[in-house]
Amino acid sequence: MNLIYHSQSSAAGEAGQAVEIGLDDAETLHVLHPDQLVAYQGPPAGRQDSLFDLPGLLRKKKLIRTRLTGPGRLWLALPPGFHLTSLPVGECEDLLFEYRNVLYYTEGIGMKTVWQQAKRSLLTRELVKMKFDGTGTIGLLTSGPLVPIALDPQTPLFADAGSLVAFPENARVELAVYGNHLASQHMRYQWKLTGRGYALLQAGRIDRRFEREFEQDGLLKRVLREVVPFGGVWFR
């Protein structure tokens, strides 16, 4: 399987990107976000769509996934600001993934759904996560570069809840905040992780408030917004 990236920046500074994937004879790719498939070159019978099983329906909230068999070529569109990373499954067999980050996986990989604890499901609104084994690669779609961070059994890692892409199945994971009162009051929810192995985070989360403050706000206005009660209302 060969990957070629195509990118172009617009006048607004947003970079549109697509990835071109070449499949040799008998190579097979499973695409979990078929709407991102913008072009396919090959025999019409090379594409086969199928229904998810029940856990898949709960996870994807969609009915269809696409199986593409070579020889052929396909083009997948990547949203502006997003990155595609191909990972060998052998490096991440113990990881649980968010469904939305998995764009594709190759033939020879087994995909298993892992039901989440009831308390965690209520907080995240995700009933199941994805786990892979076998031989091949998976394509992860992330907002920004993918960052691996080693976990420790004693010292917790606090990771932004919206940035966490994957974590080890046996890790202890709790929803938390940290720091003093002011810190915990203003931060997003964090996942508190302890254990062994690596967590994967996406490091390009878009923060519209930060962009606005960076471009327009002076230091005084930012201090007033943070310190004064209802400062976010009075000092826009």
Side-chain angles (χ1 to χ4, degrees):
M1 187 177 75
N2 302 312
L3 279 71
I4 302 174
Y5 290 91
H6 304 273
S7 62
Q8 183 176 4
S9 298
S10 68
E14 292 186 336
Q17 192 173 31
V19 60
E20 176 185 345
I21 301 177
L23 298 176
D24 294 332
D25 191 22
E27 278 191 317
T28 298
L29 190 73
H30 297 266
V31 179
L32 302 189
H33 296 277
D35 290 345
Q36 301 306 118
L37 182 60
V38 296
Y40 165 73
Q41 187 176 45
R47 173 173 176 164
Q48 298 291 327
D49 287 8
S50 62
L51 297 175
F52 273 96
D53 54 11
L54 179 58
L57 293 177
L58 293 173
R59 182 177 64 250
K60 289 284 296 177
K61 303 179 180 65
K62 288 185 179 180
L63 295 174
I64 303 297
R65 62 178 169 181
T66 296
R67 182 175 184 266
L68 295 157
T69 302
R73 307 194 73 79
L74 60 132
W75 288 260
L76 296 169
L78 308 183
F82 278 69
H83 290 233
L84 178 64
T85 304
S86 290
L87 284 182
V89 169
E91 297 181 5
C92 53
E93 283 188 339
D94 65 333
L95 295 180
L96 301 180
F97 289 89
E98 293 282 351
Y99 79 87
R100 59 180 172 268
N101 293 110
V102 181
L103 181 58
Y104 64 76
Y105 63 92
T106 58
E107 190 82 349
I109 291 178
M111 181 180 68
K112 183 173 72 173
T113 55
V114 179
W115 293 89
Q116 298 299 286
Q117 298 174 358
K119 181 179 179 181
R120 190 185 300 172
S121 297
L122 290 173
L123 294 171
T124 62
R125 300 180 182 177
E126 294 290 345
L127 293 176
V128 293
K129 290 188 180 293
M130 304 172 70
K131 186 177 181 181
F132 298 94
D133 59 19
T135 302
T137 60
I138 60 175
L140 296 178
L141 191 62
T142 58
S143 59
L146 194 65
V147 180
I149 302 179
L151 300 183
D152 185 273
Q154 303 299 327
T155 305
L157 170 69
F158 293 93
D160 183 279
S163 299
L164 186 63
V165 173
F167 56 85
E169 183 176 15
N170 294 320
R172 180 177 177 84
V173 184
E174 304 172 74
L175 201 64
V177 291
Y178 64 97
N180 62 8
H181 176 71
L182 187 61
S184 62
Q185 184 180 21
H186 287 275
M187 72 172 57
R188 302 185 186 95
Y189 282 115
Q190 308 283 313
W191 285 119
K192 177 183 176 183
L193 301 101
T194 52
R196 300 187 183 278
Y198 286 82
L200 299 180
L201 283 84
Q202 51 188 355
R205 176 167 177 166
I206 298 173
D207 189 334
R208 299 300 183 189
R209 178 182 174 186
F210 173 78
E211 289 181 351
R212 184 177 66 249
E213 291 176 348
F214 185 81
E215 292 175 357
Q216 299 177 358
D217 291 353
L219 177 61
L220 178 59
K221 183 183 288 188
R222 292 176 59 186
V223 170
L224 292 174
R225 185 183 291 118
E226 300 293 344
V227 175
V228 175
F230 303 106
V233 176
W234 296 109
F235 304 100
R236 290 181 179 272

